[in-house]
Amino acid sequence: MKLCSIDSSTNATGMCLAIDGSYSSHIFIDHHVIKDIDERMNIMIYDIISQLQKWKPDIVWIEQPQGHGRNVAMVRKLAEILGAVRCWCVAKNKEYYEIMPSEWRKYLPDYSQGGKSRNELKTDAINYVKNKLN
């Protein structure tokens, strides 16, 4: 069973592949240097779909965008990424799930998210993964 998890962004996207519950591979797609948002989104979506084609996951988890006080246009662009990934999953008959960051962090053993700001949670989660999975 192959699971792909995606932390998408309009500038850079992280993707991770687990096979039968164990880490297999990851990729960091960084296009922050492309200033034109439409060009950057087209390239980002193309690269994400290309990686899905390469890995051929059975299940895809993608982080649901959080729109709390954020730029509505950016949330819309993130929704475009979700739509493209969902379309790939539907076309390939793969399972697709959108998951809130607070939800996937619940699955981390020995991880506490209470009382932390969004930025603290993001930094802590990155450090947790680096320390636990190298």
Side-chain angles (χ1 to χ4, degrees), residues 93-107:
N93 197 30
K94 305 298 181 179
E95 292 183 41
Y96 169 87
Y97 300 96
E98 292 178 21
I99 188 166
M100 293 295 292
S102 59
E103 183 64 26
W104 69 256
R105 285 191 295 257
K106 289 180 189 177
Y107 293 103

Side-chain angles (χ1 to χ4, degrees), residues 28-43:
F28 183 66
I29 304 166
D30 187 356
H31 294 307
H32 78 277
V33 297
I34 301 170
K35 298 304 176 200
D36 181 88
I37 184 69
D38 292 321
E39 178 186 359
R40 188 170 67 238
M41 290 301 298
N42 288 342
I43 295 168

Side-chain angles (χ1 to χ4, degrees), residues 8-13 31-46 70-81:
S8 63
S9 159
T10 59
N11 289 310
T13 293
H31 294 307
H32 78 277
V33 297
I34 301 170
K35 298 304 176 200
D36 181 88
I37 184 69
D38 292 321
E39 178 186 359
R40 188 170 67 238
M41 290 301 298
N42 288 342
I43 295 168
M44 180 66 71
I45 289 169
Y46 178 86
R70 294 178 69 192
N71 182 331
V72 174
M74 284 301 118
V75 173
R76 195 184 107 246
K77 292 294 185 187
L78 289 171
E80 291 178 23
I81 294 173

Side-chain angles (χ1 to χ4, degrees), residues 40-58:
R40 188 170 67 238
M41 290 301 298
N42 288 342
I43 295 168
M44 180 66 71
I45 289 169
Y46 178 86
D47 287 349
I48 292 168
I49 298 304
S50 294
Q51 193 62 42
L52 290 171
Q53 288 286 94
K54 179 180 174 184
W55 282 347
K56 298 176 177 38
D58 302 297

Side-chain angles (χ1 to χ4, degrees), residues 3 17 22 25 27-28 58 60 67 73 82 92 108 131:
L3 166 72
L17 181 67
S22 296
S25 185
I27 187 169
F28 183 66
D58 302 297
V60 175
L82 269 63
K92 302 295 183 181
L108 301 177
N131 292 331

